[in-house]
Structure formats: structure tokens, C-alpha cells
Amino acid sequence: MSPMSPMPEGRWPWRRWRTAWRRWSLWSLLVALVLSMLVTMVWLAGRYEASQVQDKLERDTANAVADIRAALNRNLQDLQALNAPDNEPAEWKTRAAELLQVRRELMRIEWRDAGLQIRSHAETPYRNVQWEDQLRTNNTHPEAVLTCTHARRLNGPAYSPSYFQLLAEGLGTEMMEVCLPLTQSGHIIGFVIGTYSLQSLLITQVSKNLPRTQEVSFTEPDGTRLALLGASWRGTRMFTAQQLLDLPGSTLVLRMDSWHRAPSVFPNVLTALVTLMSIALVSVVAVLVRDNRRRLRAERDLGDALAFRKAMEDSLVTGLRARDLQGRISYVNPAFCNMVGFTAEELLGLSIAPYWPPERAEIYARRRDNRLSGNAPPPREGHESIFMRKDGTRIPVLIFEAPLINAQGQHTGWMSAFIDISEQKRMEEISRASQERLQATARLATVGEMASLLSHELTQPLVAISSYATGSLNMLGSDGGAAGSAGNEAHLRQQLQDLRMAMERISFQADRAGRVIKSVRDFVRRRDQSREVIGAAELIDAVLPLVSLQARNLGVRVTTDIEPGLSPVLCDPTMIEQVLLNLARNGMQAMDSPETVDRELQLRVRRAAASTRRSWVEFAVIDCGSGIPKHVAEQLFTPFFTTRNEGMGLGLSLCRTVVEQHGGHLQHSPHSPRGTVFAFTLPTHNPAQVEP
């Protein structure tokens, strides 16, 4: 078929019918949806209006029950107030008549003794009731008898079920009795019986708030109406609400009926449509305004964030550098550029940094590859490195690295922070020199304090040397004349043996004096700070002669406890020996008091808790003194603080500085049963450990 050939006639009606059906079906569906929406809205409006009417009726019923219950309680109080121990029947009747004039719902009030015999009674002046006086007088009125019996059992007020009572006009009404026992000294001496008219109760308590469209009634639980009050107006729909009036001995149901016309359809629909359109319009405007404010706030926050970041970058002294997952530099801040002397354009995109020293470039490249492979240390653990400025000068830096995580939680690279520690290194060197000078001064002061002890200690070997030398000279002088006699050979040999023993003693005592002098000279001599690998036992042996020297004069017993198999420590032996000697001297002075009986100073060495990177050895000096008071412990390490008149107040401060320079920690704790433990830690030497 050519493009210009006409369409067969049989196909046009079918296509037109299909197109029309599709169009009308869509419109019909739209109309059906709109109608269903309108019907649903009308139905919901009617349901809402009905629920509002029902809720109001429920509230009115509950309020009516509350008013009736309050009125009954007030009447009980008034009935209780009628009787007094010395009341006469005539006086009581006058007061009861006054109460009946005020409480119109009460039809009759009776005063009966403990045997239910009537002593006096009063009747309402508003209604003429045909009372069955004979039944009431003979105590055969069933409601009164049963109610008072129930009140006697409850020892409180009780109500009777409703009963029908004839009126003088040939009509009748439902009555209800209430019996209130009268007690004296815990014994029942009589009863007060009040008779209610249920119709009057509704009139006095409910009628003033009852609208014309409502009807209220008392009913039995089975639905039997006892009293009715309300207009005869009727509507198209009736709503009912019931509330239980539960009284002691009796149960009544207060029922309230309300008539209402059908819901106003068209006003409700128009109101609903206008309300929906207004809400939709206001919602759209509110959404637009909120979206515009949110956009403006986001732009303002973004501008503030960028300005804050720029100001922070310009003011930071810490260098920042970001690298991607391939190790290329993606960001540097001005502080980093000033630190290395290169501009940001010269650094961005490079993987081999020009600020690496040539002799360390290969090591830094391996370390970078190790970081990028995921073996980076924790962000809090930094490491030192050496950078080279553009002019070729080297600078020490402290580096902290952490993963760079984007907003989606993906790892996109690494962020590094650099701190130039050149000034810090210079200040540490100055501080070390100052500490060395202070330590030398402290050593000289220590030697001065022990000068008298050394003189006493050296006197003993020198006196012994002098005695042995004098004896030897005497033996040599006395043997000159008898040297040629054969009979004196045995005596000569004995004298030679004595002379040899004297010379050995002279050599021993001279060596002893030399050791004492050498230990003091080595301790006092100032040397440059050097770290050596030395065993813990060697440190203890080095200070033990000086410690024992003062211990003998103070009557202190010195013991050592060195754990076997300890690794050697890396330290400056002279400085650590001074720390041990100072702590030992303080411990012995703490025991120099009459109340200290057991004067023992213990030097203990053992393994300390190991960290993730290295192990430690703990040195402890334990005394049995009186301990350290709390107020002294708070400023024990403060420079120039001392509790001794001859002290300088620098010993413990210098000790803590020396220990902390070695990376350790000095602390003290009480010793049981008495005394103090001063302990400090030193790092062990590990040849396999390599600096990062």
C-alpha cells in the first residue's frame, strides 16, 4: 500500500470508537474519583459532627452525675448535723423542717432510735404525699428497715432501691430512702432516714443546665425508667449517653438523650473545600518560603565555612598536606608552603616530594608506600622526620597522619599534619645543658654532705695501713742481729709469713680506700650526657658503696632484690646513679627517727608493664619510715620545696626531670605496713627496634 492510498472504511469507526472510549473512560474515572472524594468528605463531616454531639452529651451526662453525687453528699452532711446528743424531738423537728424547705428533693426526714422506733419526723411542705404512717410506725416498711440494716452493717450511710409512692393528686413518683446511722462513743444510738423523690432530684440538680434538645432520666440497670425530665422536642437523629450512679446499697443509671437534626451537607462541603484549598495554598507558600530560606542559609553557611577555612589556613602554624590514594599531593596549606619553601603550584600533583632530602628519598618513598597500603600507625601516634627546605637547609618535623574520609564515608586519601620542632629541639638542648649544670651542683652538694662520712670511712683503712707498716718495720728491725743464727731459721720463717700477711692487709686496705675515692670522683666528675647500654645490677653496684657508707653511720640495713633475666637498659649511667643515690639518701633520712625500729632500705629492680612498642624496667627504693603526709605529697616534686632545714628542695625535682628525659615516669606510693616506695621506670635496649 502506497503512502497516499486511502485507509479502508471499515477501520475508521473502530479506531474512533477506541479513542473515544479511552478518552471518556479517563474522564469518567476522574469524575468518579472526584465524586468519591466529595462523598467521603461529606460522610466524614457528618461523622465528625455526630462525634462532637456525642462527646458533648457524654460530658453533660458525666457533669450531671457529678452534680447529683455532690448534692447527695451535701444532704448527708446536713442530715448528720441535725442530731446532737441533747436534742429534743420538738427542736429536732423544727430544724428538720427548715432543712426540707431548702432541700426540695427531700420529701421526708425521720429520726429513729437504735431499735428503729420513730422519735420524730418532718415532711416537705411542697408536696402532699400519702405516707403509710402505720407501716413506718410499726417498723414494717421494708425499704426503711432493709436500708437501716444495711447501714448498721456498713457503719455508714446506705441507700435503698427505688419504690413507687402515691401522691395526693392520684399520681405517683419513685422514691428512694437513705439511712444514716448516728454513733456515740463507737456505738450506734439511732438513725436518720431521708426520703428522696427521684423526679425532684432531677429537677433540682439537672434542670438548670438541661437544654431543650435533651432529655434526662433515672433508669434501672435493665433500662426501666424511674424518673424523666426534659422537653418533648424531637429531631431526625437521637444520641444517648449513660452514666452509672453507684450508691451504697443501690445502683441507678442516669440516661441522657439528645435529638439533633441531620448534618448540614452543603455548608460542610464548602467549608471543607475552602479549608483544604487554603491549607494547600498556605502549605505551598510555606514550602517555597522555607525552601528559599534554606537555600539562602545554606549559601550563607557555605560562604562562612569557606571564609572560616581560609582564615584558619592563613593563621595556622601547623602544616597540612593531603594525598590521594595514589600518593599524589592534592592539598597544602600556606603554613606548609612556608615550612618547606615551595609554593602550592610546585607541590600539587607530585608523588615524589622535592622537600625530601636526597639521601633519605628512598627511605621516605618506602615509608609512603607502607602508609598507602594501610599499615599506617594510629592518628594519635606521631613520628619525627627530616625535611629539606628549598634553600637546602634541613628541618626536623613531627608528623601526624590520619585517613581522609569523605561525606559518604569513603576513604579517599590521607591527611597529614606537620609541626616544625626546630625551636623545640633547641630548647630541649638548652634545657639538658641547664639540667646537667644543676645536677653537677647537686652532686657537689651531695659530696659536701658526705665529706665527714668519707673522712671517718677513710680513717679506718689508713690507720690499719699505718699499724701494719709500723709492725712490719719493727719486725725488720728486730731480725737484724739474729739473721745468721741457724737456730733462728724457724723463727725467721714465721716472721716472714707475718710480714707477708701484713703487706697483704696493707694492700687490701689501700685498695679499699682507693675504691671509695674512685666512686666519689666518678660520681662528682661532670661528663657529657651519653646513653649507654648497661645492666640494672651494674647500676645498683655502682651506688651501693656510697649508699652503704651512709647506711652504716645511720644504722640502716641495706638489701637488694634484683629480678634475674632482666634486659639491659639504655640510659646515662651517671644521671641514673645520682637518682638512685638521692632516693636512697632520702629514704635513709626518713628512717632517722627514734620511733623507727626496723631500719631497712631495700633497692628493688623488676620488670614493669610493657607497652605496644617497648618494654620497661622498674627501679624502686623502699624505706620503713613514717611515710609522706598528704599536704607534703601534693608539692613533693615542686622545685625548692623541702621539709628539711639543710635541704635545697631540688633533689626530687631533678630526679623526675632526669627520669622523664629518659622517657620514664617517677612516682611514689605508701608501703605496707609503714614507709614509702619511690619507683621509676627506664626503657630497655632492643637492638631490633628501628626508628620510624
Side-chain angles (χ1 to χ4, degrees):
M1 182 181 297
S2 63
M4 300 301 296
S5 60
M7 183 69 65
E9 289 188 14
R11 296 186 180 180
W12 283 103
W14 167 252
R15 177 170 292 183
R16 287 198 301 268
W17 182 84
R18 186 175 59 181
T19 304
W21 178 83
R22 181 181 301 174
R23 182 171 61 252
W24 284 106
S25 61
L26 292 176
W27 279 105
S28 300
L29 180 60
L30 179 60
V31 172
L33 289 176
V34 172
L35 290 177
S36 62
M37 184 185 68
L38 291 176
V39 171
T40 303
M41 291 175 58
V42 172
W43 179 75
L44 291 176
R47 288 290 303 272
Y48 175 75
E49 188 173 353
S51 65
Q52 292 294 105
V53 174
Q54 183 66 35
D55 291 343
K56 182 178 182 306
L57 187 62
E58 294 285 349
R59 291 194 300 270
D60 293 343
T61 306
N63 293 335
V65 170
D67 293 340
I68 293 173
R69 195 182 300 275
L72 294 178
N73 291 333
R74 287 195 303 270
N75 291 344
L76 287 177
Q77 295 176 0
D78 294 339
L79 292 176
Q80 182 73 32
L82 282 177
N83 285 76
D86 54 350
N87 271 353
E88 294 296 331
E91 183 182 357
W92 182 92
K93 185 172 183 179
T94 302
R95 296 179 61 188
E98 294 176 355
L99 179 60
L100 289 173
Q101 290 179 357
V102 178
R103 308 297 186 200
R104 297 195 175 191
E105 62 272 16
L106 286 171
M107 307 301 292
R108 179 185 175 98
I109 301 177
E110 297 178 353
W111 177 19
R112 302 197 179 198
D113 57 13
L116 296 180
Q117 297 295 327
I118 296 179
R119 298 190 60 186
S120 180
H121 73 278
E123 299 177 0
T124 180
Y126 303 110
R127 301 291 293 272
N128 188 8
V129 183
Q130 297 180 359
W131 302 102
E132 298 176 354
D133 294 335
Q134 185 176 2
L135 293 177
R136 289 184 172 273
T137 304
N138 298 332
N139 291 337
T140 56
H141 192 267
E143 286 75 12
V145 174
L146 290 176
T147 304
C148 290
T149 303
H150 192 201
R152 185 191 301 272
R153 185 168 60 252
L154 296 177
N155 196 21
Y159 292 85
S160 70
S162 63
Y163 63 91
F164 186 76
Q165 176 68 42
L166 291 176
L167 301 177
E169 295 86 358
L171 302 177
T173 183
E174 288 289 331
M175 299 286 193
M176 179 179 66
E177 304 282 348
V178 58
C179 183
L180 180 65
L182 303 175
T183 59
Q184 185 177 4
S185 299
H187 299 284
I188 296 177
I189 60 174
F191 299 91
V192 175
I193 299 177
T195 305
Y196 284 102
S197 171
L198 298 183
Q199 182 73 22
S200 300
L201 189 60
L202 291 176
I203 293 173
T204 56
Q205 303 301 325
V206 184
S207 62
K208 55 185 176 180
N209 297 324
L210 189 68
R212 295 182 179 181
T213 59
Q214 290 182 356
E215 182 180 84
V216 63
S217 61
F218 278 124
T219 65
E220 295 283 356
D222 58 359
T224 304
R225 292 200 177 188
L226 303 177
L228 180 65
L229 178 65
S232 59
W233 184 88
R234 295 292 185 269
T236 56
R237 298 184 63 184
M238 185 181 73
F239 298 86
T240 301
Q242 294 182 350
Q243 287 285 336
L244 190 67
L245 181 60
D246 192 9
L247 301 173
S250 178
T251 300
L252 296 176
V253 177
L254 183 68
R255 172 175 174 176
M256 190 170 287
D257 299 326
S258 177
W259 284 268
H260 198 272
R261 61 179 179 271
S264 302
V265 176
F266 291 103
N268 290 334
V269 172
L270 293 176
T271 302
L273 288 176
V274 172
T275 303
L276 288 177
M277 292 178 64
S278 302
I279 293 175
L281 182 60
V282 172
S283 300
V284 170
V285 174
V287 169
L288 291 176
V289 172
R290 186 179 61 180
D291 184 70
N292 188 38
R293 289 181 177 177
R294 186 180 301 170
R295 186 182 299 107
L296 293 176
R297 184 166 57 250
E299 294 176 356
R300 184 172 59 253
D301 293 343
L302 181 59
D304 293 342
L306 291 176
F308 178 74
R309 176 180 172 182
K310 185 65 171 59
M312 190 167 55
E313 291 177 358
D314 295 340
S315 62
L316 276 179
V317 296
T318 302
L320 298 178
R321 180 199 64 193
R323 291 188 295 190
D324 57 17
L325 295 178
Q326 287 73 36
R328 295 186 297 267
I329 299 176
S330 59
Y331 167 78
V332 288
N333 70 336
F336 184 80
C337 296
N338 296 331
M339 186 182 299
V340 298
F342 293 92
T343 63
E345 291 75 13
E346 294 175 328
L347 297 176
L348 294 179
L350 298 180
S351 58
I352 302 298
Y355 48 82
W356 288 351
E359 68 275 8
R360 295 173 176 257
E362 186 177 354
I363 300 175
Y364 287 0
R366 287 200 303 267
R367 186 168 62 185
R368 179 205 58 195
D369 297 338
N370 187 39
R371 298 285 192 270
L372 297 177
S373 63
N375 297 325
R380 297 291 184 182
E381 295 185 9
H383 62 276
E384 293 186 14
S385 185
I386 301 296
F387 280 178
M388 182 181 68
R389 288 195 176 97
K390 194 173 183 178
D391 57 4
T393 58
R394 268 64 169 176
I395 56 171
V397 293
L398 184 61
I399 306 175
F400 298 90
E401 288 187 312
L404 191 59
I405 308 299
N406 63 5
Q408 289 73 34
Q410 298 176 350
H411 182 200
T412 60
W414 298 89
M415 174 60 73
S416 304
F418 302 87
I419 302 175
D420 186 356
I421 57 175
S422 302
E423 187 66 21
Q424 179 181 346
K425 290 287 187 181
R426 190 179 68 85
M427 295 304 297
E428 287 179 357
E429 190 65 28
I430 295 175
S431 177
R432 279 195 294 269
S434 300
Q435 292 295 336
E436 288 182 7
R437 288 193 294 270
L438 288 175
Q439 289 157 12
T441 303
R443 286 195 296 269
L444 291 175
T446 302
V447 171
E449 292 179 4
M450 293 190 300
S452 59
L453 299 177
L454 286 173
S455 63
H456 179 271
E457 186 67 20
L458 292 176
T459 299
Q460 296 178 3
L462 292 177
V463 170
I465 291 172
S466 177
S467 299
Y468 286 128
T470 302
S472 299
L473 292 175
N474 292 333
M475 285 188 293
L476 290 175
S478 62
D479 293 339
S485 176
N488 294 330
E489 292 181 0
H491 179 66
L492 181 60
R493 284 195 299 270
Q494 181 64 35
Q495 287 183 341
L496 290 176
Q497 291 178 358
D498 294 340
L499 184 61
R500 184 180 296 110
M501 182 187 66
M503 291 302 172
E504 291 176 354
R505 294 293 180 90
I506 290 173
S507 176
F508 173 77
Q509 294 296 337
D511 184 63
R512 175 186 173 189
R515 285 198 306 269
V516 172
I517 297 298
K518 183 178 181 298
S519 63
V520 175
R521 184 181 66 246
D522 291 340
F523 179 75
V524 175
R525 184 180 58 193
R526 178 182 178 184
R527 301 180 303 174
D528 294 335
Q529 181 180 1
S530 61
R531 300 289 173 91
E532 301 178 9
V533 179
I534 187 172
E538 297 179 38
L539 292 173
I540 297 297
D541 293 339
V543 299
L544 196 57
L546 295 176
V547 173
S548 302
L549 178 65
Q550 187 173 3
R552 281 193 297 270
N553 288 275
L554 295 178
V556 177
R557 184 174 69 258
V558 180
T559 60
T560 59
D561 180 11
I562 303 176
E563 183 179 346
L566 293 176
S567 301
V569 296
L570 182 63
C571 66
D572 184 347
T574 303
M575 296 174 67
I576 298 303
E577 290 170 8
Q578 180 184 353
V579 171
L580 288 171
L581 184 61
N582 197 358
L583 295 179
R585 185 182 61 181
N586 290 343
M588 288 185 290
Q589 290 176 351
M591 293 184 290
D592 189 14
S593 59
E595 60 268 13
T596 304
V597 178
D598 186 12
R599 300 187 179 186
E600 179 182 358
L601 182 73
Q602 182 181 10
L603 304 179
R604 185 184 66 192
V605 186
R606 64 184 180 184
R607 290 183 180 87
S611 63
T612 57
R613 302 185 62 181
R614 66 197 319 171
S615 57
W616 302 81
V617 174
E618 182 186 75
F619 293 78
V621 178
I622 307 172
D623 64 72
C624 299
S626 58
I628 302 176
K630 183 178 180 181
H631 69 281
V632 175
E634 294 176 353
Q635 47 185 339
L636 191 62
F637 295 101
T638 303
F640 304 106
F641 172 78
T642 180
T643 57
R644 302 193 305 269
N645 296 329
E646 69 278 5
M648 298 174 60
L650 293 174
L652 289 177
S653 177
L654 290 174
C655 290
R656 184 174 65 174
T657 302
V658 170
V659 172
E660 290 178 351
Q661 285 179 354
H662 285 76
H665 180 65
L666 174 62
Q667 61 183 0
H668 66 89
S669 60
H671 177 246
S672 179
R674 59 178 288 148
T676 307
V677 178
F678 277 88
F680 64 92
T681 56
L682 291 178
T684 61
H685 175 64
N686 187 4
Q689 191 173 17
V690 180
E691 290 297 327

